[in-house]
Amino acid sequence: MSAPQRATTSSTPTGRFAPSPSGRMHLGNIFAALISWLSVKSKGGKWILRIEDLDPQRSRREYARLIEDDLIWLGLHWDEGGLDNKGSAGPYIQSQRLEIYEKYLSILSPYTYPCTCRRADILATQAPHQSDGRIIYAGTCRPSAFPAPPNPAPHSTRILVPDEDITFTDRLYGPQTVNLANQCGDFILRRADGAWAYQLAVVIDDALMGVTEIVRGSDLLLSAAQQIFLYRTLQLDIPEYAHIPLLSTQEENGRTRRLSKRDNDASLEYLRSSTSPEIIIGKLAQIAGLRPTDSPISAEELIPYFHWEKLTPVPEIILR
C-alpha cells in the first residue's frame, strides 16, 4: 500500500465552505458561507468549496450544481474546489476521496475496533448527554486489548478515546475544555454500511487541503474536540476554529427552531425569486453585527466591515 498523502502547511490564510448536496441551501447555510468567506478574504486569503457528498442516500449532483449557482449569484466566489475540482489539492468532492480515507484509517487501526451495536441498542441503554440530546457510547463492543481482533460480522469502526481533556480557544466562543471520554465517547470513523464518518473525512480533507481556519455553526462546537484528537493522533496541523450562532425562527408556541432545508421561505429558491443578492447580504451583515443597518451591499463591498470582534457569542440568532 502506498503512503498516504501528506498535509502541506499553507502560508496563505485558507478557509472553506463544505456543504452537503442534499437539498437547496437556506439562509443559515448562506450565513455560514458568508462569514467564512469574509473572514478569509479580509486576510487576503483563499476560499475552498468542498462538496461533502459521503451520504449516497441523500446526496445529489444536481444539488451540488445549485449550490455553486447560488454562491455565484451571491458573489461568493471560490478560489479552489467545486465540481470542476479546480486547484492542486483535489479532488474536492468527498465521494472521489475514498481511497485517501482508507489509507488514513489504516494508520489509526491500532486504536480502532469493530462495533456491531445498532443505534437502537445504544439509544435503549444510554440516557441523552446533558441537555443537547447527545448519546455517549458506553463501550459495549470495546475490546480488552488492542489492536482489536477482526470481526467478520457487519460492523462500524470506532476509535478508542482516552479519558483526556481537549482544550482549545474558539475564535468567537473563547476557551473550551471537552473531556473526550465523558462528553464524546468512542466515536465512529466508518459506518456499518461502509460510508465514511464526518469526523474522519473532514479532518483528513482540511489537513490535506491546507485549511487554516474553519468557520461553521455552533452546533458543531463539541465536534472540534473529536477532530483535534484525530489531528493530534495523525500528527496533522490543527486549524483555528470559529463557530458562529445558528439562525433560528420562532414558532407559534414560542419555541425556537433552527433553519433547515424544509424552510421554503428561507431557501435560496424562494429568495432568488423575491429579492436581490445585495439585499440578502445586507440583512445578514446586520444580523451578524457587521453593520448597523440592513441596507443592500455586495459581498465584496462588505469585506472592509468584517471584524470578528463585531460578532456576539450567542447560541442562536432569531430571525424577526
Side-chain angles (χ1 to χ4, degrees), residues 190-224:
R190 195 176 196 178
R191 297 187 335 207
D193 63 3
W196 293 97
Y198 168 79
Q199 305 293 9
L200 179 66
V202 73
V203 165
I204 295 169
D205 290 347
D206 286 334
L208 297 183
M209 293 175 187
V211 172
T212 61
E213 62 175 56
I214 294 172
V215 178
R216 60 189 185 186
S218 60
D219 56 326
L220 292 171
L221 184 58
L222 188 59
S223 291

Side-chain angles (χ1 to χ4, degrees), residues 12-15 37-47 79 212:
T12 302
T14 302
W37 188 87
L38 289 170
S39 177
V40 75
K41 289 301 177 181
S42 68
K43 304 182 185 86
K46 63 182 179 181
W47 197 57
D79 302 288
T212 61

Side-chain angles (χ1 to χ4, degrees), residues 34 37-38 73-76 277-282 285 291 295-305:
L34 176 64
W37 188 87
L38 289 170
W73 181 76
L74 287 159
L76 301 178
E278 291 79 13
I279 289 176
I280 295 173
I281 298 296
R291 301 176 78 219
S295 57
I297 189 172
S298 71
E300 194 73 30
E301 293 170 331
L302 188 57
I303 293 174
Y305 291 89

Side-chain angles (χ1 to χ4, degrees), residues 72 75 78 83 90 95 97 104 115 127 140 157 163 174 178 193 200 213 239 249 260-262 300:
I72 292 170
W78 57 96
L83 289 173
S95 60
R97 299 176 61 81
Y104 276 90
C115 176
T140 306
T157 301
D163 185 2
V178 176
D193 63 3
L200 179 66
E213 62 175 56
T249 184
S260 73
K261 291 174 181 176
R262 295 186 297 272
E300 194 73 30

Side-chain angles (χ1 to χ4, degrees), residues 79-123:
D79 302 288
E80 294 182 9
L83 289 173
D84 62 355
N85 279 317
K86 174 186 175 184
S88 60
Y92 297 87
I93 302 168
Q94 284 190 328
S95 60
Q96 298 175 7
R97 299 176 61 81
L98 306 185
E99 185 178 348
I100 298 172
Y101 306 144
E102 192 79 58
K103 292 176 179 179
Y104 276 90
L105 183 63
S106 69
I107 297 174
L108 294 169
S109 61
Y111 318 104
T112 64
Y113 61 91
C115 176
T116 57
C117 294
R118 298 171 303 171
R119 181 169 176 80
D121 299 330
I122 300 171
L123 291 173

